Amino acid sequence: MENTTRRTWFIAFVVSLGGFLFGFDAGIISGVMAYAGPEFDLNDIQTGWVVSSPSFSAMLAMLISGRLSDFYGRKKILIVVAFLYALSALLSAYAVGYNMLWIARMLGGVAFGAALILAPTYIAEISSAENRGKLVSMQQLNIVLGFFAAFLCNYYLNELNTSGDSFLTDETVWRWMLGLEMIPAVLYFILMFFVPRSPRWLFLKQKVNEAIEILKSLHSKTRAEEEAKSIQESIQKQSNKEKVNLKELVKPALRFIFLVGLTIGILQQITGINAIYFYATSIFKQTGIGTNAAFASGVLLSMTTVVFTIVAMLLIDRMGRRPLLLIGIGGIALSMLICGYGFKQATYELSTEKMSALDASLVENLSGFEGKVYDNDVAFKNDMKQALGSQVYAKNEGAILEAAANMNSTLILIGILVFIACFGFSLGPVMWVMLSEMYPNKYRGLAIGVIGFVNSFASWLVQQVFPWELSNLGNATTFFIFGFIALAGFFLFLKILPETKGKSLEELESELIT
């Protein structure tokens, strides 16, 4: 691999570290809430808000970060992003109550909202058509590596805490989980100073000499000259047009690709990915495998994500974007329906034998339910909460469900892993690649910002509502909803999805914009 290519890969890796921090934050919260939720006695709405509040603030960041980066430059905004990540981790770890916890997490949301928009934009702007898919996919790879690191940290810190031989307690273990994010955040902040400014942004700001020098450092001299000429021609075509505003995105020339982008952005979230990630420990507890096994299953889930994101990076510039998305969304629909079926077959019974495995204090309060069979998880959990109180039930949910649940937990685990695998090679990385490719230079920041906003709103909504869904609709109905949404998405993609593989940003602009 030649030096210029190595330099491009290094820069793409550094810039996409914001994705790692997003993944780490999203993964770590599933373990945090197993302890912080009961400690602060949070209800379903409060639990949903602590988990989802970063996505809420990310919506606002996504709306303005693209335009801010058009004005100040991608690099400067990403340095601010790294600082906010570090500050959020510090304040979250020292949270003294519910309000401080969600406010601190919202700071992190501002950071990852901006990073999720700006990293793929920047990477697309330093890449050639041949390697753009792989390089932009590095954002998603870093996200899933962040998830893996977080689930691994959750698993080991939970093991240390439950062993009784460490300094950790139920009251401090979750603070260590949150505080660890400081390490990659500080590293990201430092490394961003070694990244050049975007050459395409420099051309827009009339800093031609600096832009050409950066292109030469990223590509061969001949390729740099070709890229420079292509970028300048594209900018020249746009220079005589009126200033960009939101209404232009829905004018006939841009309407189709804007709607395609919106569709991908919404479906990426409403098929349930962040319900699975952010609540992984809680979901695995629902299968009755126990708290420790739930933490271990989170590690398996995140490993699957890493493997299939790498598969996507290897295939995206060979197979193309459209086939990966169609295969992936079809698999997502099937796997969610399998999970729904698995939960639908479940029954719950506290038998005499299983009751003996619970703490004596629990047995005393639950003795009236011994031998009673439930075919509905909502009715079972409501009776448990009424008998024990919500805080005591929350602290012991893993043990109670492990004692009572009778279901095919292996089928559900397989369903979730297939879902994660399919998302990992399709909707996860391919969405950001396509969004970075479909829009002209002039509109790219605004279009991706608006779609990112809608994407983040959908993510926030799923995260906020998910605990309520589990409590009121039940496990089976919740997963069936995700499955049928994905099925509808498959047929919609079949009809509207274009292919953007192997074309320069300027070629795509001339093809997709009428």
Side-chain angles (χ1 to χ4, degrees):
M1 189 183 292
E2 57 186 76
N3 289 334
T4 53
T5 307
R6 278 202 296 268
R7 176 169 162 76
T8 307
W9 277 91
F10 170 75
I11 292 168
F13 173 77
V14 170
V15 170
S16 61
L17 276 175
F20 178 90
L21 286 158
F22 164 68
F24 192 91
D25 187 80
I28 212 76
I29 198 65
S30 74
V32 167
M33 295 312 293
Y35 291 103
E39 182 175 334
F40 295 142
D41 195 17
L42 304 182
N43 59 34
D44 289 337
I45 301 300
Q46 290 172 323
T47 298
W49 182 241
V50 169
V51 172
S52 70
S53 55
S55 294
F56 189 82
S57 57
M59 288 188 286
L60 304 177
M62 285 176 168
L63 266 187
I64 63 171
S65 59
R67 300 304 296 272
L68 283 175
S69 76
D70 288 343
F71 189 77
Y72 293 106
R74 320 315 189 202
K75 177 177 175 176
K76 283 184 180 177
I77 304 299
L78 285 169
I79 289 171
V80 174
V81 160
F83 174 78
L84 287 175
Y85 266 128
L87 182 63
S88 171
L90 185 66
L91 294 176
S92 297
Y94 282 98
V96 294
Y98 164 66
N99 288 323
M100 184 175 173
L101 184 57
W102 69 256
I103 291 169
R105 284 182 50 71
M106 284 188 88
L107 279 177
V110 172
F112 78 64
L116 289 181
I117 294 297
L118 297 185
T121 301
Y122 176 95
I123 294 168
E125 291 176 349
I126 65 164
S127 309
S128 61
E130 292 80 11
N131 64 13
R132 191 189 316 114
K134 296 185 193 73
L135 288 172
V136 175
S137 296
M138 196 178 290
Q139 163 93 337
Q140 186 66 22
L141 178 61
N142 261 312
I143 290 174
V144 299
L145 286 172
F147 275 115
F148 178 66
F151 281 115
L152 209 55
C153 287
N154 277 343
Y155 173 73
Y156 280 115
L157 289 172
N158 179 68
E159 285 288 302
L160 280 172
N161 179 49
T162 54
S163 69
D165 298 327
S166 75
F167 62 94
L168 295 173
T169 66
D170 285 0
E171 289 72 35
T172 62
V173 63
W174 62 272
R175 298 181 185 277
W176 281 90
M177 291 173 178
L178 289 168
L180 281 172
E181 193 177 338
M182 277 281 292
I183 298 169
V186 171
L187 180 66
Y188 184 36
F189 180 78
I190 294 168
L191 288 176
M192 273 307 303
F193 287 95
F194 296 92
V195 166
R197 297 195 283 184
S198 163
R200 290 172 190 265
W201 180 81
L202 289 168
F203 275 118
L204 283 169
K205 296 299 178 183
Q206 310 298 319
K207 299 183 180 183
V208 176
N209 291 335
E210 184 181 349
I212 291 173
E213 287 304 310
I214 290 171
L215 284 172
K216 286 179 180 177
S217 73
L218 297 173
H219 311 292
S220 66
K221 185 178 178 182
T222 305
R223 170 51 70 88
E225 290 170 355
E226 291 172 0
E227 288 282 321
K229 184 180 177 183
S230 181
I231 293 166
Q232 286 175 305
E233 286 175 356
S234 172
I235 292 169
Q236 187 62 41
K237 285 179 185 176
Q238 298 291 337
S239 62
N240 296 325
K241 295 188 178 180
E242 59 189 60
K243 201 172 181 181
V244 177
N245 61 63
L246 201 56
K247 289 181 181 177
E248 289 185 54
L249 295 179
V250 292
K251 285 183 177 179
L254 289 168
R255 188 181 296 154
F256 172 70
I257 58 167
F258 182 60
L259 291 176
V260 169
L262 270 179
T263 303
I264 299 171
I266 292 168
L267 277 170
Q268 191 204 47
Q269 293 300 331
I270 63 171
T271 49
I273 185 60
N274 280 340
I276 302 297
Y277 276 145
F278 285 69
Y279 296 98
T281 304
S282 176
I283 291 169
F284 287 126
K285 277 185 189 177
Q286 303 301 313
T287 66
I289 61 175
T291 300
N292 289 346
F295 274 92
S297 296
V299 177
L300 182 59
L301 177 150
S302 56
M303 280 180 64
T304 304
T305 311
V306 172
V307 170
F308 282 91
T309 301
I310 293 170
V311 169
M313 291 180 70
L314 295 174
L315 294 179
I316 194 165
D317 288 321
R318 295 180 188 177
M319 282 183 66
R321 289 51 161 156
R322 180 181 161 91
L324 285 178
L325 273 177
L326 289 173
I327 295 168
I329 195 74
I332 286 169
L334 180 63
S335 58
M336 288 289 92
L337 294 173
I338 287 171
C339 288
Y341 172 80
F343 278 119
K344 185 71 175 172
Q345 303 306 306
T347 59
Y348 303 83
E349 179 188 3
L350 287 170
S351 63
T352 305
E353 182 185 351
K354 293 292 181 71
M355 286 273 278
S356 63
L358 298 174
D359 288 345
S361 59
L362 297 176
V363 173
E364 185 179 344
N365 287 302
L366 297 177
S367 57
F369 301 98
E370 191 173 327
K372 184 176 180 181
V373 179
Y374 296 80
D375 60 5
N376 182 299
D377 62 295
V378 175
F380 174 75
K381 285 184 279 189
N382 284 343
D383 279 357
M384 296 302 101
K385 288 173 188 176
Q386 193 169 359
L388 299 172
S390 60
Q391 189 171 24
V392 174
Y393 174 76
K395 283 185 176 180
N396 295 280
E397 182 178 53
I400 292 169
L401 288 173
E402 186 177 5
N406 178 26
M407 69 177 79
N408 190 342
S409 57
T410 304
L411 179 68
I412 294 167
L413 178 60
I414 289 170
I416 290 172
L417 292 177
V418 170
F419 168 81
I420 291 297
C422 291
F423 184 90
F425 69 75
S426 64
L427 277 173
V430 177
M431 182 189 98
W432 294 110
V433 173
M434 291 194 72
L435 292 187
S436 71
E437 291 176 329
M438 289 193 300
Y439 304 104
N441 248 325
K442 185 178 177 182
Y443 301 101
R444 191 173 299 126
L446 179 62
I448 296 178
V450 172
I451 292 166
F453 172 83
V454 175
N455 174 267
S456 193
F457 177 79
S459 172
W460 168 76
L461 193 62
V462 168
Q463 294 167 49
Q464 179 66 48
V465 171
F466 189 70
W468 178 91
E469 283 184 296
L470 290 184
S471 294
N472 294 275
L473 302 180
N475 301 324
T477 302
T478 300
F479 280 89
F480 277 137
I481 289 170
F482 289 141
F484 285 119
I485 289 172
L487 198 60
F490 172 80
F491 289 109
L492 188 58
F493 277 176
L494 202 60
K495 186 173 178 63
I496 69 169
L497 208 60
E499 181 57 81
T500 59
K501 180 184 80 166
K503 299 168 185 174
S504 73
L505 298 181
E506 287 65 41
E507 285 173 336
L508 287 168
E509 181 177 332
S510 65
E511 287 182 18
L512 295 174
I513 310 302
T514 55

